Every structure is written in structure tokens, then in C-alpha cells.
């Protein structure tokens, strides 16, 4: 039986790192070929094409690089001989890159993002195992049309749901509200649930001036007004609980809305959607009444990615609202 071909795109991250003796800490050093040499027996399940895109840590990813990566992946997926793509990435920003690609790549072919929590210099280096599971996912017919997936620790998660939950654990990525899409068992993808229709924002423009501000007791309007007066085109507020902010912080949100700046409300809680179920000063009802957009269950970092793309696509507030709320609130 002919094996399927998978393109593996290496961007850096811990999976590509070794401990540098001079620095005394891990830095990216390994090429894609060097990493693949440690993934034993992968040639038995798939043909691999190694693509060295970048060699950077997760925090060095930028919106400009994300646009380049999107085009790079799309060009590979257009080839008839490629059944899917695997992308290695630093776990610090992996969920943002995966979600960006999920929003912008419309191909039905599987796109898998993976990485490692331990460098190749550490005992229990998890890079090869994660790569193996990612390739097994990419070649599975069950992964077709599922959007971008995140695969680590043999768990398969939707990019739209997965978030990093622990600074150290190998199973750090979780879908806290809905659980994993499936897992890899004996080299096969086993699905646990079905998927919903994805949101696609077809644009090559990204609005980088989108701020992310977290709420806390006693916070005021200083940071929000600074963003509004400094040319920021959108603001994400990580509100408390169901989507509520302190009274003085509310004044800043109101100030931004009076300048017609889109403000998206999400929760600083790890799971659960925001909703306008409270009516006191600074509550979700107040925020809804001044035209804030509700971001469902998205964490702040993903809501920022979506707003950056939405603003790159349009400046129409109703269209932007649809990207966040349609199918969730109406």
C-alpha cells in the first residue's frame, strides 16, 4: 500500500532546542532533519518532506510571520502529493498560531500543530513522540475537514478550543470546557466527538494595534484610555467572571466605545462563556449596552488573534460582531 506524504514545517520552539553550555539554558539549535532523525520508525507509516521555515522560540512569533506561514502552508497543501501538514512550534504561543491558521486556512487537508515541553537535552524529551502522533493524525482520513488540530501527549485537540494550562506538564494543552477531539491509539486517530462549522476570515492583512488588558479588583481606566488615545484599533478586555469589570475600568471601556473602537469582552476564567446576566455598574449588561462585543469562551490571547484578523478584513462593527457572536449569541 502506498504511504501518504506529510510535509513537516519546522519553526523552532523547545522541540528544536538544546542546552547551550555558555548560556546555561535551552536555545533553538536543531534543524528539521536533526529532529526527524530521532523520530524512529516514522518511515513505516508515512513519507516525510522536511521544511525548515524558521528557528525561533514561541515568543518571537509575529503577525507578519504568521501571514508568511499561512501562505507557506497553503502552497504545500495545494500539491496533490501532500496529504496534510505538521507544524512544529514553541508551546508558549502555539495556541495563537494554531488558531490564526484555523481562522485563515480553508483547505480540507489536515493541518497539525505540535511541539515539546522538554528540550532534547532533557531526560524524557517528548518531541519525537509528539511528532509521531502528529504525523499519524495528519495521515488519518478522520482528520480531513476538522480544521487545524493541536497534538501533544497523544491527545488531539481543536485549535479553536485548546489552551496551554501548565508551564511544565506534558499534557499542558487542554480543551477545558469540551474535552479533546480524540487521541492517537496504536498509531490510529480515535475520535471522541464531532466538530462544528469553522469561522474563516479570508484576509492577508492583520491589524497589529490590538491591545489585551486584564481586569482585577480596583483597576481603573488608565490603560484603556492610553490604548484608545495611542491609535489602537481594537481592545480585548479579560473581564471578571461572566464578563464584568470594576466601575472605574468601565469608564475606560465607555471612553473607547465613544471613539468607535471595537471592544471585545472575554473572561479571565479558564472556561465558560461571557454573558450579560448581571446588571450592576460595570456589569456585562452595561458593557453590552455600550456596544461591546462578547467573545464567547475564547481566552484573551485567542480573542486578540481573531480581532486582529477581523480588523484586517473590515472596519464594519456589525461584521466584526458576527465573527465573534454569530452562532453563539444569535
Amino acid at each position: 500500500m502506498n504511504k501518504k506524504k506529510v510535509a513537516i514545517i519546522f519553526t523552532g520552539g523547545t522541540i528544536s532546542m538544546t542546552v547551550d553550555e555558555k548560556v546555561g539554558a535551552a536555545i533553538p539549535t536543531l534543524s528539521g532533519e536533526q529532529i526527524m532523525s530521532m523520530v524512529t520508525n516514522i518511515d513505516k507509516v508515512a513519507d516525510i518532506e522536511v521544511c525548515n521555515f524558521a528557528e525561533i522560540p514561541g515568543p518571537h512569533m509575529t503577525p507578519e510571520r504568521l501571514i508568511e506561514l499561512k501562505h507557506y502552508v497553503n502552497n504545500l497543501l495545494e500539491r496533490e502529493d501532500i496529504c496534510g501538514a505538521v507544524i512544529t512550534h514553541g508551546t508558549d504561543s502555539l495556541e495563537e498560531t494554531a488558531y490564526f491558521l484555523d481562522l485563515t486556512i480553508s483547505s480540507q487537508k489536515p493541518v497539525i500543530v505540535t511541539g515539546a515541553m522538554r528540550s532534547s537535552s532533557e531526560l524524557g524529551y517528548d518531541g519525537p513522540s509528539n511528532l509521531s502522533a502528529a504525523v499519524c493524525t495528519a495521515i488519518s482520513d478522520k482528520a480531513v475537514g476538522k480544521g487545524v488540530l493541536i497534538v501533544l501527549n497523544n491527545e488531539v485537540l481543536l485549535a479553536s478550543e485548546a489552551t496551554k494550562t501548565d508551564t511544565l506538564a506534558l499534557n499542558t494543552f487542554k480543551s477545558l470546557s469540551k474535552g479533546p477531539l480524540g487521541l492517537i491509539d496504536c498509531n490510529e486517530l480515535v475520535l471522541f466527538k464531532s466538530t462544528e462549522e469553522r469561522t474563516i476570515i479570508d484576509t492577508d492583512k492583520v491589524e497589529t494595534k490590538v491591545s489585551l488588558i486584564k481586569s482585577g479588583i480596583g483597576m481603573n481606566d488608565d490603560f484603556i484610555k492610553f490604548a484608545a488615545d495611542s491609535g489602537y484599533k481594537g481592545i480585548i478586555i479579560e473581564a471578571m467572571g461572566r464578563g464584568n469589570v470594576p466601575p472605574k475600568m468601565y469608564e475606560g471601556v465607555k471612553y473607547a466605545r465613544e471613539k468607535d473602537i471595537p471592544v471585545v469582552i472575554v473572561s479571565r476564567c479558564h472556561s465558560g462563556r461571557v454573558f450579560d446576566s448581571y446588571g450592576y455598574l460595570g456589569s456585562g449588561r452595561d458593557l453590552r449596552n455600550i456596544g461591546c462585543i462578547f467573545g464567547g469562551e475564547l481566552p484573551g490571547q485567542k480573542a486578540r488573534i481573531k480581532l486582529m484578523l477581523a480588523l484586517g478584513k473590515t472596519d464594519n462593527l456589525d461584521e466584526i460582531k458576527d465573527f465573534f457572536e454569530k452562532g453563539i449569541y444569535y
Side-chain angles (χ1 to χ4, degrees):
M1 186 174 66
N2 292 330
K3 291 179 290 184
K4 294 182 179 180
K5 179 181 280 190
V6 176
I8 304 185
I9 304 157
F10 291 88
T11 73
T14 300
I15 195 171
S16 69
M17 293 188 186
T18 56
V19 173
D20 183 278
E21 293 182 2
K22 293 181 181 179
V23 178
I27 60 173
T29 57
L30 300 177
S31 68
E33 290 82 2
Q34 289 173 306
I35 298 169
M36 287 308 302
S37 69
M38 293 180 267
V39 186
T40 56
N41 297 319
I42 197 66
D43 58 312
K44 294 182 179 179
V45 297
D47 290 328
I48 303 298
E49 181 170 324
V50 173
C51 307
N52 289 301
F53 177 82
E55 199 172 283
I56 58 172
H60 289 197
M61 184 56 74
T62 64
E64 293 76 19
R65 275 195 169 116
L66 288 176
I67 289 290
E68 291 177 26
L69 181 59
K70 180 195 81 166
H71 288 301
Y72 194 89
V73 174
N74 271 331
N75 287 337
L76 286 167
L77 296 179
E78 286 175 1
R79 287 170 41 185
E80 291 186 6
D81 63 322
I82 297 292
C83 77
V86 170
I87 302 163
T88 69
H89 200 285
T91 59
D92 282 354
S93 60
L94 186 150
E95 66 188 90
E96 290 166 85
T97 292
Y99 189 51
F100 181 97
L101 297 175
D102 189 59
L103 288 169
T104 57
I105 292 178
S106 58
S107 173
Q108 294 294 294
K109 293 182 179 181
V111 176
I112 319 299
V113 187
T114 190
M117 291 299 291
R118 296 174 183 168
S119 76
S120 63
S121 298
E122 295 179 82
L123 292 174
Y125 175 44
D126 55 326
S129 174
N130 289 337
L131 264 173
S132 297
V135 170
C136 289
T137 306
I139 63 176
S140 174
D141 292 339
K142 296 177 182 177
V144 173
K146 296 294 189 296
V148 176
L149 304 175
I150 292 174
V151 176
L152 281 91
N153 202 47
N154 281 331
E155 287 194 323
V156 181
L157 305 117
L158 294 170
S160 57
E161 297 176 359
T163 191
K164 187 174 181 179
T165 65
D166 192 279
T167 62
L168 185 64
L170 299 185
N171 64 338
T172 180
F173 285 94
K174 296 183 183 297
S175 174
L176 294 170
S177 295
K178 301 176 181 177
L181 175 67
L183 56 75
I184 297 300
D185 184 0
C186 295
N187 302 333
E188 297 288 338
L189 173 58
V190 179
L191 294 179
F192 296 156
K193 62 181 184 180
S194 59
T195 56
E196 300 173 356
E197 184 178 353
R198 288 195 295 147
T199 297
I200 298 293
I201 305 177
D202 184 16
T203 180
D204 280 336
K205 182 181 177 184
V206 179
E207 176 53 67
T208 59
K209 297 210 76 171
V210 175
S211 66
L212 171 58
I213 301 172
K214 189 168 187 170
S215 62
I217 58 170
M219 284 186 67
N220 60 27
D221 56 6
D222 288 354
F223 293 125
I224 302 173
K225 283 188 174 180
F226 176 82
D229 292 337
S230 299
Y232 277 77
K233 305 301 182 183
I235 299 172
I236 306 295
I237 302 291
E238 277 197 3
M240 298 174 170
R242 285 281 263 175
N244 316 298
V245 297
K248 290 183 179 179
M249 198 173 185
Y250 169 73
E251 292 303 317
V253 177
K254 189 176 178 182
Y255 181 81
R257 288 297 305 124
E258 288 170 351
K259 285 177 168 281
D260 292 323
I261 297 172
V263 178
V264 178
I265 305 299
V266 296
S267 180
R268 69 181 194 178
C269 295
H270 298 303
S271 62
R273 70 170 182 162
V274 290
F275 197 77
D276 57 339
S277 50
Y278 292 95
Y280 52 79
L281 181 61
S283 66
R285 183 60 54 87
D286 278 353
L287 296 170
R288 172 69 82 186
N289 287 341
I290 61 173
C292 290
I293 297 168
F294 280 22
E297 295 186 14
L298 289 175
Q301 62 272 23
K302 283 187 180 177
R304 180 172 173 267
I305 290 292
K306 181 176 264 191
L307 186 55
M308 289 166 68
L309 285 166
L311 286 168
K313 176 78 172 177
T314 180
D315 59 4
N316 184 292
L317 189 65
D318 289 333
E319 291 181 35
I320 294 170
K321 184 178 180 181
D322 278 349
F323 285 133
F324 283 91
E325 296 194 356
K326 193 172 183 181
I328 301 174
Y329 298 101
Y330 57 87

